[in-house]
Amino acid sequence: MTEQPIRRPISRDEWLVVVASLVAASALANLWSWRHDAMLNYGDAVAHLHIARRVFDSHRPGLSQLGSVWLPFPHLILIPFVAVYAWWANGIAGMIPSALAYIIGGAGIYRLARHWLAPSAALVALAFFALNPNLLYLQTTAMTEPLFLCQMVWLAVWLVEWHCALNNDPPRAARLLRCIALVLIAAVFTRYDGWILALLAWTSVGIVQLRKSTLRSRTFWIATAAVIAAPLLWFAYNAFYFGDWLYFARGPYSAAAIELRTASPGSGPPHPGWHNPWVSLLFFVKCAEMDAARESWGNFMLGLTLLGTAWGWLTTHRRGFNWTLLLWLPVPFYAYSIAFGSVPIFLPVWWPHSWYNTRYGVEMLPAFALGLGFVAQFAIAVAREFKQSATRFAAAALYAIVLINAWAVLRDHPLTYVEGTKNIESRRKFEMEIPPVLRSLLASRPGGIVLMDTSVYPDLVAFTEIPLRQTINESDKEYFSNALAAPAAHAAIVLAFDGDEIDRAVKAHPAALTMIRRFDAPGQNSGTVYVSDTPLGSKAAER
């Protein structure tokens, strides 16, 4: 006999408490981030907003502006929000979809846990997930982790419910299969982790369909075609716009190319774990522990999570628990990616004692939360054996432990927030000094075109309070190439950083350019602002 998909239907009051709690936590975190000017700390968050904006605000608007390396779905859903200039400039545009993903993902964690756990234990799982300071900070930014976590969680939810509905409710199973396919397609277009997730999940779905003699299902084959088409579409996009179907993997902006440019010749491996899967595994697991718990508590937390997951599998695997093991996919994925995919992680506690890609560990929060939910269920059951009234005290103690852990992570400063603050330190001086100079120059050159590279400091455009189409930048292709050949003739103002393409163009074609000011920042290539002395350059905006 097929088990019911949920222990006991989730009541309306339960959902009200869950959703209200998630909304409150998200709102408080966003208020804090806003007051501390932290929404734009991550350079990648700024770049995501910039990519979304240039799809419609550029000399070459269109899908080609989505770029080649980062997958397009996060940028596509940002477009309605970056259309509001102020939201693009202050980061609110990135916060809105991330916060929604956090709320929906948290609701998914609770729904997933309630398939096997009582409300008190499911709330422990939810609290561990939702009160994590690293996740709370990331959901105030345009980073893609909250969105991908939401996709992972709901994939697990729908897989479990699809498995339960296969025998006793075929129409619902068909609907859920379509939902599974849609979330997998979204995941494929969100992060490259999603490609492996889609492969494993959909292959498993096919095996189950085969065992149940339902492989001829029309819904299954239509969904299969859609899931397979997703990565093929990305290959085709890269081939059409960039001339290489693997441009995202081997182009000049790929992770491998960046690793080659930044590596020091003859200095040994470019990062810990390079071509060493074991060290890579240790770095990712340590990162996940430090994202989820206080550093000194990480191993204990991980041990409890593994025990809870094992207990859940032993006691509930006939009710679809096996599907939740997909939540552990980030472990092998990042162990491989760090070793062979040019994706390093730096941690402050291990050499080279720095912060880089520390947010990747957040992807383990759903697996940790569900495992700890089973630990909580076991602890409450043990307390009930001793005394019925002790269950309330046991649940209260577990909630307190989760709160203490969240407070400890917050007090020790969340890794992702620290990395973000260090990230913006390298940009802050330029972002404070260059825009006022550009605004002053543009005041006497209304509508003047600015020749600049926006790939490193995209916020300079928003802080200058001009639209992207008032610049000629690296995404403008032929416009950019023409401007490099004659900077003074194509732009009223030129912003160059030492060693970049514009700097080389200015040195090769310095005629009719006057240097206005030079800008320096610690550890960064110096920037220089020039103005065009030619009437053609001064009126470039009119052309």
Side-chain angles (χ1 to χ4, degrees), residues 37-54 70 75 78 82 87-91 93-95 137 140-144 420 423-424 427 431 454-463 468:
D37 296 320
M39 289 181 176
L40 298 174
N41 280 4
Y42 269 102
D44 283 0
V46 175
H48 288 311
L49 295 169
H50 172 69
I51 290 170
R53 175 83 185 188
R54 74 189 189 193
W70 279 327
H75 306 128
L78 280 171
V82 297
W87 291 359
W88 169 52
N90 60 28
M95 174 270 291
Y137 170 62
T140 73
T141 73
M143 301 301 281
T144 61
N423 199 295
I424 198 174
R427 314 188 323 263
E431 291 179 351
T454 60
S455 64
V456 180
Y457 305 106
D459 252 359
L460 294 179
V461 180
F463 294 167
L468 276 169

Side-chain angles (χ1 to χ4, degrees), residues 152-220:
M152 285 179 64
V153 168
W154 278 95
L155 171 65
V157 170
W158 287 329
L159 282 169
V160 170
E161 295 181 0
W162 168 78
H163 186 266
C164 294
L166 270 177
N167 289 336
N168 59 4
D169 194 349
R172 183 168 187 263
R175 292 194 300 272
L176 287 168
L177 196 62
R178 287 191 284 268
C179 291
I180 292 165
L182 288 174
V183 78
L184 285 176
I185 292 169
V188 164
F189 285 124
T190 297
R191 293 181 66 87
Y192 291 103
D193 325 23
W195 293 36
I196 309 301
L197 186 66
L199 173 65
L200 294 177
W202 202 254
T203 299
S204 300
V205 166
I207 291 172
V208 171
Q209 296 268 121
L210 179 63
R211 288 178 175 176
K212 293 186 175 291
S213 300
T214 56
L215 199 57
R216 294 183 179 180
S217 163
R218 184 168 178 265
T219 299
F220 171 75

Side-chain angles (χ1 to χ4, degrees), residues 286-529:
K286 186 66 173 178
C287 179
E289 289 180 357
M290 294 181 67
D291 278 340
R294 189 177 187 181
E295 195 268 330
S296 59
W297 300 350
N299 288 338
F300 180 69
M301 182 275 301
L302 178 62
L304 283 179
T305 299
L306 290 171
L307 288 173
T309 302
W311 179 250
W313 183 82
L314 288 170
T315 57
T316 67
H317 65 279
R318 292 182 180 177
R319 286 184 284 161
F321 184 84
N322 285 347
W323 296 103
T324 69
L325 298 180
L326 287 169
L327 298 176
W328 289 86
L329 174 64
V331 174
F333 176 84
Y334 280 104
Y336 176 86
S337 297
I338 295 169
F340 304 110
S342 304
V343 181
I345 289 178
F346 296 160
L347 299 171
V349 295
W350 289 350
W351 183 86
H353 306 290
S354 185
W355 290 258
Y356 189 62
N357 287 335
T358 58
R359 63 190 184 277
Y360 291 161
V362 171
E363 289 192 20
M364 289 304 301
L365 282 178
F368 289 166
L370 187 60
L372 292 175
F374 277 94
V375 172
Q377 179 97 327
F378 180 80
I380 292 171
V382 169
R384 186 182 297 113
E385 290 297 319
F386 283 97
K387 191 175 181 180
Q388 184 69 26
S389 60
T391 56
R392 293 184 179 180
F393 295 102
L398 291 168
Y399 301 146
I401 291 171
V402 171
L403 286 171
I404 291 170
N405 175 69
W407 174 252
V409 174
L410 190 62
R411 187 182 60 184
D412 291 345
H413 305 297
L415 287 181
T416 58
Y417 176 68
V418 175
E419 181 181 348
T421 58
K422 293 186 177 298
N423 199 295
I424 198 174
E425 284 173 5
S426 64
R427 314 188 323 263
R428 191 184 301 276
K429 195 168 188 290
F430 286 152
E431 291 179 351
M432 292 179 65
E433 294 181 358
I434 294 177
V437 173
L438 295 179
R439 287 197 299 269
S440 176
L441 293 172
L442 287 168
S444 59
R445 300 166 178 80
I449 292 292
V450 182
L451 173 61
M452 62 187 296
D453 187 320
T454 60
S455 64
V456 180
Y457 305 106
D459 252 359
L460 294 179
V461 180
F463 294 167
T464 304
E465 300 174 2
I466 59 174
L468 276 169
R469 62 181 173 273
Q470 197 174 332
T471 72
I472 297 177
N473 60 69
E474 73 290 345
S475 70
D476 291 323
K477 301 299 182 182
E478 65 273 12
Y479 295 92
F480 189 61
S481 298
N482 293 337
L484 292 179
H490 288 80
I493 300 170
V494 177
L495 172 61
F497 290 91
D498 289 357
D500 70 4
E501 287 186 281
I502 299 175
D503 180 56
R504 293 194 294 271
V506 168
K507 290 175 179 176
H509 311 284
L513 288 175
T514 300
M515 187 182 79
I516 298 298
R517 182 173 169 183
R518 191 164 172 81
F519 302 87
D520 298 300
Q524 304 299 308
N525 293 330
S526 297
T528 308
V529 170

Side-chain angles (χ1 to χ4, degrees), residues 50-313:
H50 172 69
I51 290 170
R53 175 83 185 188
R54 74 189 189 193
V55 170
F56 60 88
D57 180 10
S58 69
H59 292 289
R60 301 173 70 253
L63 293 179
S64 66
Q65 295 293 346
L66 290 170
S68 63
V69 178
W70 279 327
L71 290 158
F73 186 68
H75 306 128
L76 291 173
I77 63 174
L78 280 171
I79 288 174
F81 307 107
V82 297
V84 180
Y85 191 96
W87 291 359
W88 169 52
N90 60 28
I92 287 179
M95 174 270 291
I96 295 172
S98 291
L100 289 173
Y102 163 83
I103 293 167
I104 297 169
I109 282 286
Y110 186 77
R111 178 163 171 161
L112 182 63
R114 283 286 282 112
H115 281 82
W116 308 285
L117 304 180
S120 55
L123 281 174
V124 171
L126 173 63
F128 185 84
F129 176 86
L131 295 178
N132 179 265
N134 286 288
L135 179 58
L136 281 169
Y137 170 62
L138 289 175
Q139 62 95 41
T140 73
T141 73
M143 301 301 281
T144 61
E145 281 73 19
L147 176 60
F148 189 67
L149 286 182
C150 178
Q151 293 164 352
M152 285 179 64
V153 168
W154 278 95
L155 171 65
V157 170
W158 287 329
L159 282 169
V160 170
E161 295 181 0
W162 168 78
H163 186 266
C164 294
L166 270 177
N167 289 336
N168 59 4
D169 194 349
R172 183 168 187 263
R175 292 194 300 272
L176 287 168
L177 196 62
R178 287 191 284 268
C179 291
I180 292 165
L182 288 174
V183 78
L184 285 176
I185 292 169
V188 164
F189 285 124
T190 297
R191 293 181 66 87
Y192 291 103
D193 325 23
W195 293 36
I196 309 301
L197 186 66
L199 173 65
L200 294 177
W202 202 254
T203 299
S204 300
V205 166
I207 291 172
V208 171
Q209 296 268 121
L210 179 63
R211 288 178 175 176
K212 293 186 175 291
S213 300
T214 56
L215 199 57
R216 294 183 179 180
S217 163
R218 184 168 178 265
T219 299
F220 171 75
W221 286 109
I222 292 175
T224 298
V227 172
I228 293 174
L232 296 180
L233 185 60
W234 187 239
F235 292 146
Y237 168 86
N238 275 260
F240 182 78
Y241 285 111
F242 304 102
D244 182 358
W245 68 289
L246 286 176
Y247 191 79
F248 64 92
R250 58 193 182 195
Y253 300 105
S254 66
I258 292 172
E259 182 181 75
L260 286 175
R261 287 198 299 270
T262 56
S264 301
S267 62
H271 60 81
W274 186 76
H275 289 194
N276 190 326
W278 174 247
V279 173
S280 299
L281 174 65
L282 292 178
F283 262 81
F284 177 71
V285 171
K286 186 66 173 178
C287 179
E289 289 180 357
M290 294 181 67
D291 278 340
R294 189 177 187 181
E295 195 268 330
S296 59
W297 300 350
N299 288 338
F300 180 69
M301 182 275 301
L302 178 62
L304 283 179
T305 299
L306 290 171
L307 288 173
T309 302
W311 179 250
W313 183 82

